[in-house]
Amino acid sequence: MQNLCKFYDKQNGSLHLVKSKEDNICYLLSSTETSISEEIFATGNYDKRYFDQTLNLFPFDKIKNKSNIFFDVGANSGAFTLLAAKSGYFNKIVSIEPHLKTFNTLRINLLLNNIDFNSDLIKLYNLAIDPIKKNRVRNL
């Protein structure tokens, strides 16, 4: 794992731009977000082994077809969205993240990896379910 740069944002604390040596994915990480950031700092990715094991359970190959859709609900900063985009298995990726600051980090992480989040491949939604309004989706 290579730490490319570190800078300070007074709202988010220390931010780090890191690049995984294993899969060549760049991440913008906050020191205040502990579980995901700590694992990426320590191992170079976030649960990639589980992502790979899960892909092996499904009977498809890297030939994209209409049914290969990946949903990342609670996408956070996009670790699984990035892995899905880099895997080559999916013809559509839908990522949903309700928290605006985290959603913006998701968008930055896609841009850092030259992935167009306005493309036919990836659709991002800054949405949440509102239990008070009978599960209607709303923008935050």
Side-chain angles (χ1 to χ4, degrees):
M1 182 57 128
Q2 180 181 4
N3 195 349
L4 301 175
C5 66
K6 177 180 175 181
F7 53 99
Y8 187 78
D9 175 344
K10 74 178 181 179
Q11 285 187 320
N12 296 319
S14 182
L15 297 171
H16 301 267
L17 183 61
V18 296
K19 185 173 187 178
S20 166
K21 289 180 182 176
E22 179 185 345
D23 50 20
N24 208 31
I25 294 177
C26 291
Y27 299 94
L28 180 66
L29 305 171
S30 170
S31 62
T32 59
E33 204 305 310
T34 55
S35 63
I36 293 173
S37 294
E38 284 177 0
E39 185 167 341
I40 292 172
F41 278 123
T43 67
N45 59 59
Y46 180 71
D47 281 349
K48 183 177 187 314
R49 65 189 178 277
Y50 299 121
F51 180 84
D52 292 340
Q53 289 171 354
T54 302
L55 285 182
N56 289 331
L57 296 174
F58 295 96
F60 56 66
D61 56 24
K62 285 193 175 190
I63 298 171
K64 294 180 183 181
N65 64 54
K66 292 179 185 177
S67 64
N68 290 352
I69 301 171
F70 183 85
F71 289 93
D72 191 357
V73 180
N76 203 290
S77 58
F80 288 118
T81 297
L82 288 164
L83 290 171
K86 297 278 187 174
S87 75
Y89 281 94
F90 304 99
N91 72 320
K92 183 170 272 311
I93 298 166
V94 177
S95 297
I96 302 168
E97 173 51 49
H99 191 269
L100 184 58
K101 286 181 187 176
T102 308
F103 179 79
N104 287 333
T105 302
L106 165 65
R107 293 181 354 168
I108 290 168
N109 283 335
L110 290 169
L111 291 173
L112 285 171
N113 290 281
N114 298 314
I115 299 170
D116 183 2
F117 55 79
N118 289 317
S119 68
D120 289 337
L121 173 65
I122 296 183
K123 298 295 180 197
L124 303 181
Y125 297 95
N126 179 221
L127 300 171
I129 302 297
D130 187 340
I132 295 171
K133 295 185 179 181
K134 298 187 182 182
N135 294 332
R136 285 188 284 170
V137 177
R138 64 179 171 90
N139 284 322
L140 293 178

